[in-house]
Amino acid sequence: MTARIGVVTFPGSLDDRDTQRAIKLAGAEPVALWHKDKDLKQVDAVVLPGGFSYGDYLRAGAISRFSPVMETVIEQAKSGMPVLGICNGFQVLTEAHLLPGAMLGNNHLHFICRDQKLRVENAETSWTADYESGQEIHIPLKNMDGRYVADEHTLDMLEAEGRVAFRYVDFNPNGSLRDIAGITNEAGNVVGLMPHPEHAVEPLIGSGRTDGLPFFTSILKKLVNA
């Protein structure tokens, strides 16, 4: 049976179609989910894509967190369903308290778009198992509110529990504390990151690399072997 992975579209989502394509390339079935619907259509996992949901009014992701679909996503995530938040989706996950910390405006106060080197710090989550710990990859990055922050206690906890999933290498593009580019929850089923793996799945588009494809093959193998 083909794994079904839902992709939520909020008003202002930009990368939902790109994410659906990445899921299809990995061999799973992408399922479009609308933000006003609580029904997840029996999907096996959910991706919250990048963009500027609700125009990023109030704070990035703050309004989307209260969309009807998120009520079900939060409930299912707490029950073990794999959930990936990319860029704006990462912001939504912090606003929904599925991941700790918060996302603030870039420290240089400018939108940034670049090919970013990352180091894989945790290759044991539902979304990172096809990587190796310590592996360096290149993933496109584009954000205005990408600065990850948390109090020292939370940062120390994430480090001690191995919950920093990705770290910026060579250059910190937004001032994220401890160069954090992505984190995971304690169970490893919920992952959020600022760079866009869906833009690095085919050699002829995006970065010209396929370094982002393992996100989607990882979850496919996780679901098939579950």
Side-chain angles (χ1 to χ4, degrees), residues 56-69:
D56 278 351
Y57 294 122
L58 297 184
R59 287 184 313 277
I63 300 177
S64 296
R65 176 261 180 273
F66 293 101
S67 290
V69 72

Side-chain angles (χ1 to χ4, degrees), residues 68-208:
V69 72
M70 285 305 298
E71 181 178 331
T72 312
V73 170
I74 292 169
E75 176 185 322
Q76 292 298 311
K78 290 180 177 179
S79 297
M81 174 180 278
V83 178
L84 174 66
I86 302 170
C87 195
N88 189 238
F90 186 9
Q91 295 159 345
V92 175
L93 290 177
T94 60
E95 292 288 341
H97 304 297
L98 287 174
L99 292 175
M103 312 302 301
L104 300 181
N106 297 343
N107 61 344
H108 46 71
L109 304 181
H110 295 288
F111 181 85
I112 188 168
C113 182
R114 56 176 276 126
D115 192 18
Q116 178 67 47
K117 183 188 286 189
L118 305 176
R119 183 171 60 248
V120 181
E121 301 283 19
N122 185 334
E124 298 180 1
T125 78
S126 298
W127 299 92
T128 61
D130 268 0
Y131 292 109
E132 295 182 3
S133 181
Q135 182 178 351
E136 293 187 352
I137 60 177
H138 291 78
I139 302 289
L141 173 83
K142 50 178 185 176
N143 63 70
M144 180 68 188
D145 299 290
R147 177 163 54 109
Y148 180 76
V149 298
D151 60 71
E152 286 298 311
H153 173 75
T154 299
L155 292 170
D156 289 342
M157 174 195 69
L158 291 172
E159 300 277 12
E161 296 179 1
R163 290 171 55 188
V164 176
F166 296 90
R167 221 180 290 268
Y168 297 117
V169 176
D170 295 340
F171 173 73
N172 186 325
N174 45 39
S176 290
L177 298 181
R178 303 194 189 182
D179 298 327
I180 291 174
I183 61 174
T184 180
N185 67 341
E186 187 174 4
N189 64 303
V190 179
V191 171
L193 79 158
M194 286 309 297
H196 288 258
E198 77 280 10
H199 295 327
V201 295
E202 294 181 282
L204 295 180
I205 62 173
S207 67

